[in-house]
Amino acid sequence: MTARQPLSYDTFVALARNEPAVVGLVLKGSHAHEGMATAHSDHDLYVVVADGADTPLARFTGHRTPELDLVVLPLAAFRTAGMPGIERYGLARARIVLDRLDGGIARTVAAKARLSADEAARDAGEWLDAYANSLYRSVKNDRDGQTRAARLDAADSVRFLLELLFALDRRPRPYNKYLEWELAGFPLPEWDTDELLEAVDRISTTGDVTAQRRLFARVEACARRAGHGLVLDGWGTDLDLMRPTRPA
């Protein structure tokens, strides 16, 4: 392709469909999330090649333009892509363009969308502890008049909170861009989406301690039901600073 005729998504897909070594095409990113693509969105395409196969399409490895971003990789590497890693959510919500493995590509993608029980338990425990840590620091800094530090710690706590809530549901956390999209189509059990997003917005922008404590009460109950009470109990009496204050 010349500089005046860059490789388009449709042209490449046609090339790949005619290449026997290609066993799968997987589209991720904005074009895989209905309603999220804009005029500036490129096509992020994984090109999955049979293990050990040679293909002339290998020359497109690393191809990246405003129109098309290609990742060419063997099947074995695709199976482990994002497991774990930052690509996991993108692949979990990817769209299957081509599957020559009788659903094998689709099954691999579906597996990325669901954390194993052991993985979810481990990750949720770690994120719960990180969330409690940032929350505790925020409330303590607010108490001590460290307003900026309190807000920054509150914003940090929101990141860990979202990781925690999605891990409790055995799902990878969506990228910030897709958070509302994800919750609109796949809400978290036990959580009202509008209320959760409103609390996230308020806490991350203002560091409101009352809002943080109120939210923590909900999180603590969910975490204990999920079997993570020991993580919380490890905070001892510091939990009192995180919980809602009782009326005098």
Side-chain angles (χ1 to χ4, degrees), residues 136-246:
Y136 176 71
R137 290 176 181 274
S138 177
V139 175
K140 187 170 64 171
N141 281 326
D142 180 81
R143 178 199 63 191
D144 296 340
Q146 300 291 332
T147 305
R148 180 177 291 110
R151 286 201 307 268
L152 290 172
D153 285 325
D156 286 344
S157 77
V158 166
R159 173 200 163 200
F160 301 131
L161 167 69
L162 292 173
E163 295 279 6
L164 165 64
L165 296 184
F166 280 96
L168 287 173
D169 197 35
R170 295 179 59 182
R171 292 155 60 183
R173 176 197 163 178
Y175 309 144
N176 292 333
K177 176 179 180 179
Y178 302 121
L179 177 61
E180 291 185 56
W181 183 95
E182 179 76 16
L183 290 176
F186 310 94
L188 289 165
E190 302 185 55
W191 291 90
D192 178 275
T193 293
D194 290 339
E195 291 179 3
L196 175 60
L197 290 176
E198 182 180 352
V200 163
D201 286 345
R202 184 170 184 82
I203 290 168
S204 61
T205 56
T206 70
D208 186 319
V209 169
T210 299
Q212 290 193 74
R213 284 171 165 157
R214 187 182 304 120
L215 183 59
F216 178 74
R218 291 278 319 276
V219 174
E220 179 177 9
C222 288
R224 288 190 183 280
R225 283 195 297 272
H228 296 287
L230 287 177
V231 175
L232 291 164
D233 292 340
W235 283 87
T237 58
D238 288 337
L239 287 173
D240 294 336
L241 195 62
M242 308 181 208
R243 290 167 171 155
T245 55
R246 297 178 181 178

Side-chain angles (χ1 to χ4, degrees), residues 9 31 36 64 72 90 100 112 128 157 166 173 193 223 246:
Y9 169 75
H31 284 283
M36 291 297 294
R64 187 168 189 174
V72 183
R100 287 192 170 124
K112 297 178 189 297
L128 174 60
S157 77
F166 280 96
R173 176 197 163 178
T193 293
R246 297 178 181 178

Side-chain angles (χ1 to χ4, degrees), residues 106-125:
R107 287 191 293 273
T108 296
V109 168
K112 297 178 189 297
R114 186 73 171 165
L115 278 63
S116 70
D118 288 344
E119 185 181 15
R122 181 198 66 226
D123 290 356

